[in-house]
């Protein structure tokens, strides 16, 4: 089987577009819609759909829409965390803490929210059925059967890792590439075990450490400009995955409140927090994080489902919603993807 990189190269040259060493990070929750992925791939990068939180039917529609744009289809899958033993009780307790915030926005909390595995089996079956070009995984190590079925469908497999140990496990199941997610990255940490805090290794140091594996390494986390991209490529990455730098792109499905927060809060720091979902994620510090970070249990995805009512009711308030962002967010600009990618290209 040709490597994923060879295949993307040949698609791009067939389509007559130049190849950029840039991958659009999968960004679940809205930003990664087909229009964004298509625009990135047409500009010579690789665009990603994000399967997380979507129903399998909604994912199928997005895959078909992207395939209709005649670009390679790449999809990211959330692997489920085991439900921690005391998760249900901890969520009831956390719901109690959250009551004042719920009351402020007029939301009703459901402390009995159920555990969900994000329908990952159905989604992998869909990827196999549609014979997508690339499948990447986060929140866990893909299992042998996943890699076997995807390879049989001609799909290249990428595992997202935050440490050498996780890369070791991914290499052992025969993935085609590893995505090295450093601590600067916006959104959720890819850590295989939600209970552990991800190591605070910088992206460039993780890329360097993962050179020991005989696998292509994609660098992700904290990219603000073309100098960051150049430095990560020089450190040994075959490509650089950018998320936050594309959140304000015209084609992204980022919510207006998230866009406004990115533009307005440039003097605020980003922090890692479990307050919204129970899993560590990096976002711009706001009132919700300040109030609830300390109380939040490591109980993904129940906490994510629990806080949804508050996030929906308070969707126009940047002090309420999760403003996921990497450390370089102050440099993120609006405009068409093709221009943003040009500015990021060394
Ligand atoms: C809003 C947002 C949503 C994200 N959703 C996902 C996701 O669904 N799957 C995934 O593997 N990574 C996700 N990430 C992490 C990205 O894949 C990537 O690691 C990160 O964006 C890189 O750091 P940067 O944002 O500083 O560029 C998300 C990041 C952001 C900012």
């Amino acid at each position: 089987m040709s490597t994923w990189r060879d295949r993307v190269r040949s698609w791009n040259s067939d389509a007559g577009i130049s190849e950029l060493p840039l991958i659009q990070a999968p960004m679940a929750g809205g930003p990664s819609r087909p229009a964004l992925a298509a625009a990135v791939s047409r500009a010579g990068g690789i665009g990603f759909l994000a399967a997380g939180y979507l129903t399998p039917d909604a994912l199928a529609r997005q895959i078909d829409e992207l395939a209709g744009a005649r670009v390679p289809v790449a999809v990211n899958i959330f692997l489920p965390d085991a439900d921690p033993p005391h998760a249900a009780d901890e969520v009831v307790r956390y719901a109690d803490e959250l009551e004042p915030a719920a009351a402020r926005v007029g939301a009703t909390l459901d402390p009995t929210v159920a555990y969900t595995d994000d329908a990952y089996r159905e989604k992998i079956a869909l990827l196999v059925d549609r014979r997508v070009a690339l499948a990447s995984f986060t929140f866990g190590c893909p299992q042998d059967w996943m890699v076997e079925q995807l390879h049989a469908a001609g799909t290249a497999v990428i595992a997202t890792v935050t440490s050498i140990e996780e890369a070791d496990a991914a290499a052992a199941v025969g993935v085609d590439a590893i995505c090295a997610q450093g601590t600067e990255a916006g959104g959720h940490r890819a850590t295989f075990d939600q209970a552990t805090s991800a190591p605070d290794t910088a992206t460039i140091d993780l890329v360097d450490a993962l050179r020991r594996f005989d696998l292509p390494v994609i660098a992700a986390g904290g990219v603000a400009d073309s100098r960051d991209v150049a430095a990560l490529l020089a450190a040994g990455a075959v490509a650089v995955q950018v998320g936050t730098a594309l959140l304000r792109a015209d084609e992204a499905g980022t919510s207006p409140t998230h866009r406004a927060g990115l533009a307005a809060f440039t003097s605020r720091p980003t922090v890692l927090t479990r307050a919204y979902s129970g899993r560590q994620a990096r976002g711009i510090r706001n009132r919700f994080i300040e109030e609830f970070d300390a109380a939040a249990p490591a109980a993904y995805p129940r906490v994510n489902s629990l806080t949804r009512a508050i996030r929906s009711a308070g969707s126009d308030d940047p002090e309420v919603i999760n403003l996921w962002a990497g450390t370089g967010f102050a440099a993120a600009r609006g405009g068409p993807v093709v221009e943003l990618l040009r500015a990021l290209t060394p």
Side-chain angles (χ1 to χ4, degrees), residues 25-28 50 76 78 138 181 184-187 220-223 241-244 324 326:
M27 292 183 283
N76 172 259
F78 285 0
T138 189
Q181 191 201 49
E184 303 96 324
V223 168
Q241 181 164 302
V242 291
T244 302
W324 294 155

Side-chain angles (χ1 to χ4, degrees), residues 69-83:
R70 309 192 65 78
V71 294
V73 176
V75 183
N76 172 259
I77 300 277
F78 285 0
L79 289 171
D81 280 291
D83 197 26

